Structures are given as structure tokens and as C-alpha cells.
């Protein structure tokens, strides 16, 4: 389910819209906000996938530009708002 959601919603829709948003951004702050949202979505997806593919998700997580990160396995689980 997570893989399907990531492929259909995140990859096909949000990333494509983000490319256009980055290209049309008028300020650096707009670009940074778009990148922050993309990073948040990516981290949350990695957390959800981690129980099924821990080695791959941990490796990807360690390469993300996050300050003061630890291991993915001890990060807090995403909450349903």
C-alpha cells in the first residue's frame, strides 16, 4: 500500500508539481519551502517502509540532508493527524 501510494501520489503528482513550483518560484524562501515539504514526505515514506525493507530505507535515510539525525529505526513513527 505504501509503495503504491508513493508511486502514484508522490512520484506521479507531487514531484512533478514541485518541479514546476521550483521553476516558477520568485524567492529563495519559496524554493526552500517546497524542498522542505518534499523532504518531509520522503522521510515519512521511509519511516513507513522501514519495517519491510530496513536496510534499504536506513541507507537512503542516512544520505538525506538532515541535521542531528540518528538511525531511522529509533525515529518517531508518523502520526495520523
Amino acid at each position: 500500500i505504501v509503495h503504491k501510494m508513493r508511486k502514484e501520489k508522490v512520484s506521479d503528482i507531487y514531484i512533478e508539481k514541485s518541479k514546476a513550483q521550483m521553476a516558477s518560484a520568485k524567492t529563495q524562501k519559496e524554493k526552500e519551502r517546497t524542498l522542505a515539504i518534499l523532504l518531509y514526505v520522503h522521510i515519512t515514506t521511509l519511516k513507513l517502509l522501514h519495517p519491510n525493507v530496513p536496510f534499504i530505507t536506513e541507507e537512503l535515510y542516512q544520505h538525506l540532508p538532515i541535521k542531528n539525525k540518528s538511525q531511522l529505526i529509533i525515529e518517531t513513527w508518523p502520526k495520523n493527524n
Side-chain angles (χ1 to χ4, degrees), residues 15-78:
I15 291 177
E16 291 304 317
K17 286 187 178 187
S18 295
K19 288 178 189 177
Q21 190 172 359
M22 292 287 289
S24 66
K26 293 179 177 43
T27 66
Q28 184 64 26
K29 189 172 184 175
E30 289 177 7
K31 290 181 181 181
E32 289 172 1
R33 186 174 53 229
T34 301
L35 288 174
I37 293 169
L38 283 171
L39 183 61
Y40 173 80
V41 170
H42 191 63
I43 291 169
T44 302
T45 303
L46 289 175
K47 288 178 181 181
L48 293 172
L49 289 171
H50 191 69
N52 297 309
V53 284
F55 298 109
I56 295 170
T57 53
E58 185 66 48
E59 184 68 24
L60 292 171
Y61 181 75
Q62 292 304 319
H63 286 86
L64 294 176
I66 305 170
K67 294 179 183 176
N68 302 320
K69 69 180 152 199
S70 58
Q71 292 182 326
L72 184 57
I73 195 167
I74 59 175
E75 289 289 332
T76 57
W77 189 255

Side-chain angles (χ1 to χ4, degrees), residues 7-18:
K7 182 183 181 308
E8 292 178 1
K9 303 293 185 206
V10 177
S11 296
D12 294 346
I13 298 170
Y14 191 75
I15 291 177
E16 291 304 317
K17 286 187 178 187
S18 295

